[in-house]
Amino acid sequence: MYLAANGRPDAPPRPPGVRRRVPAAVLALGTVSLVTDISSEMVTAVLPLYLVLGLGLTPLQFGFLDGMFNGATALVRLLGGRLADRGGHHKRVAGAGYLLSALSRLGLLLAGGATAGIAAALAADRLGKGVRTAPRDALISLSGPPESLGRSFGVHRAMDTTGALLGPLAAFAVLWATADAYDAVFAVSFSIGLLGVLLLVAYVPAAPGPVTRGLVASGPAPAPTPPPRRPVLRDPVFRRVLYASALLGATTIGDAFLYLLLLRELDLPPALFTLLPLGAAAVYLLLAVPAGRLADRTGRRTAFLIGHCALLGAYALLLAPVRVPTVVGVLALLGIFYAATDGVLMALAAPALPTAGRAGGLAVLQTGQALARLLGAAGFGAAWTLWGQRPALWAAALALAGALAAASRILPAAPAAPQEVP
């Protein structure tokens, strides 16, 4: 890796006439995520209707099941990262996670109305997602030159979001064609999820090739090195990224609360609640790649902070008199927030992590951010219950503004490259 005089990653000189392309491994992983998200979102779109209306579960029972397993996902990421770093088995661990999620659709199909079977299937889905996330992101970060990581993650997240948009449409098409047969949705979702696993096996390389002069070399991949003895939390640069992301995550109140505020302020029909996430996802899809490219050019730290400024803007719009155009503004700002922060954070932290411990380090970062956001959402919900929605939103906006000021001091300008052990 090329380093500037200050010891930070610097873009190596590009040979004349050579244009960098998105690494093939990133495109393959993006395709796998696209297909898998179609499968996942087909189930997510119909699951509340199936459990509450079809099987008669109360909203409290459904909320307990969903919330418990979503919280467990954050902790399972640590296990996935650790397993991937042992011997460099990123593809193998990620594949196990994708396969477990695919099999969970089959579990829903076989569970019938048994609550225990449904709970086991939901647990398998969340465990699969938690196990695969860090190894997948580590593969992306190791598949191309460090100076273009923002674009690589942007391309992957754009493809991933495409699948998230197509999933509910596919579920609607299946329900329409089968006269509301939920079993058909689960069967099609299982088939699509299995296709994603096969694509991973066939097209994603087991280990990324070496990076030379900013280009992905075609030579054989080096033998995996053992995990580093030094824990990632002892690295001061990585700790600063972790602390800043957790601080900002704790002031992120959650998308569902923003959508509920829009519905309540405008007295919109509840059916529109399911359509609001599609607006934010569409903006995210359009901006993920440009935001990644811009982060590579102007600095990922700056892009990450600007993304949270967009979230603060969404809070501000909801604090002003809410009109119909407010919906468009909030959804656009929310999409900008995700485009400028989701993949950009991984691209910001990855260069500070050694190759042999990258999956574990990214898992720590993702888990810290997820738990912080869980606390932030719970805190906002409690504040809404005790104080009312506007005082709670004022408190969230002020907390985010303070967190932005602190994060701008904590975040490093550019993580220094770790010294690899030969």
Side-chain angles (χ1 to χ4, degrees), residues 151-249:
R151 181 179 62 169
S152 292
F153 276 103
V155 168
H156 175 269
R157 296 310 197 255
M159 298 178 74
D160 184 86
T161 306
T162 301
L165 288 172
L166 293 177
L169 299 178
F172 172 80
V174 172
L175 287 177
W176 180 79
T178 59
D180 294 339
Y182 293 105
D183 286 353
V185 174
F186 299 149
V188 173
S189 173
F190 166 69
S191 300
I192 296 176
L194 197 58
L195 174 61
V197 176
L198 295 176
L199 289 172
L200 177 78
V201 173
Y203 295 106
V204 176
V211 177
T212 304
R213 294 182 63 83
L215 301 172
V216 179
S218 58
T225 56
R229 294 179 180 274
R230 184 182 183 186
V232 293
L233 289 179
R234 292 187 180 180
D235 185 289
V237 176
F238 178 77
R239 285 206 310 268
R240 289 166 66 184
V241 176
L242 174 64
Y243 295 160
S245 65
L247 180 62
L248 290 168

Side-chain angles (χ1 to χ4, degrees), residues 118-168:
I118 294 171
L122 289 177
D125 177 49
R126 300 304 192 270
L127 289 173
K129 183 176 181 180
V131 165
R132 71 177 182 253
T133 301
R136 180 204 65 199
D137 284 352
L139 277 173
I140 294 172
S141 70
L142 294 170
S143 296
E147 63 272 11
S148 62
L149 284 182
R151 181 179 62 169
S152 292
F153 276 103
V155 168
H156 175 269
R157 296 310 197 255
M159 298 178 74
D160 184 86
T161 306
T162 301
L165 288 172
L166 293 177

Side-chain angles (χ1 to χ4, degrees), residues 259-273 276 322-324 327 389:
Y259 301 148
L260 285 173
L261 288 169
L262 287 172
L263 289 178
R264 291 171 66 95
E265 290 291 332
L266 294 175
D267 196 23
L268 298 175
L272 288 180
F273 185 84
L276 292 176
V322 177
R323 303 288 185 266
V324 173
V327 177
Q389 64 184 45

Side-chain angles (χ1 to χ4, degrees), residues 336-405:
I336 293 171
F337 162 66
Y338 282 113
T341 59
D342 187 12
V344 170
L345 176 61
M346 299 299 104
L348 175 64
L353 296 168
T355 300
R358 185 155 303 179
L362 293 181
V364 170
L365 180 62
Q366 293 163 356
T367 300
Q369 185 185 54
L371 292 178
R373 286 182 174 179
L374 184 63
L375 291 175
F380 180 78
W384 187 340
T385 303
L386 295 174
W387 305 335
Q389 64 184 45
R390 288 190 66 82
L393 189 57
W394 269 110
L398 293 174
L400 179 55
L404 268 168

Side-chain angles (χ1 to χ4, degrees), residues 17-216:
V18 176
R19 181 181 179 183
R20 288 199 186 98
R21 298 179 180 178
V22 177
V26 174
L27 295 177
L29 286 165
T31 303
V32 172
S33 292
L34 188 155
V35 172
T36 301
D37 256 33
I38 293 176
S39 171
S40 299
E41 294 303 323
M42 285 182 68
V43 174
T44 301
V46 304
L47 199 59
L49 299 176
Y50 173 66
L51 295 180
V52 176
L53 299 182
L55 299 182
L57 268 67
T58 66
L60 178 61
Q61 289 173 317
F62 171 70
F64 174 76
L65 287 174
D66 190 60
M68 179 177 64
F69 293 130
N70 274 327
T73 300
L75 299 177
V76 175
R77 291 180 186 179
L78 297 174
L79 175 62
R82 181 62 179 170
L83 290 175
D85 284 335
R86 287 184 176 274
H89 299 307
H90 300 81
K91 176 182 175 179
R92 189 177 302 176
V93 175
Y98 281 112
L99 180 60
L100 187 58
S101 291
L103 292 176
S104 72
R105 312 328 179 218
L106 188 60
L108 286 171
L109 187 63
L110 299 176
T115 304
I118 294 171
L122 289 177
D125 177 49
R126 300 304 192 270
L127 289 173
K129 183 176 181 180
V131 165
R132 71 177 182 253
T133 301
R136 180 204 65 199
D137 284 352
L139 277 173
I140 294 172
S141 70
L142 294 170
S143 296
E147 63 272 11
S148 62
L149 284 182
R151 181 179 62 169
S152 292
F153 276 103
V155 168
H156 175 269
R157 296 310 197 255
M159 298 178 74
D160 184 86
T161 306
T162 301
L165 288 172
L166 293 177
L169 299 178
F172 172 80
V174 172
L175 287 177
W176 180 79
T178 59
D180 294 339
Y182 293 105
D183 286 353
V185 174
F186 299 149
V188 173
S189 173
F190 166 69
S191 300
I192 296 176
L194 197 58
L195 174 61
V197 176
L198 295 176
L199 289 172
L200 177 78
V201 173
Y203 295 106
V204 176
V211 177
T212 304
R213 294 182 63 83
L215 301 172
V216 179

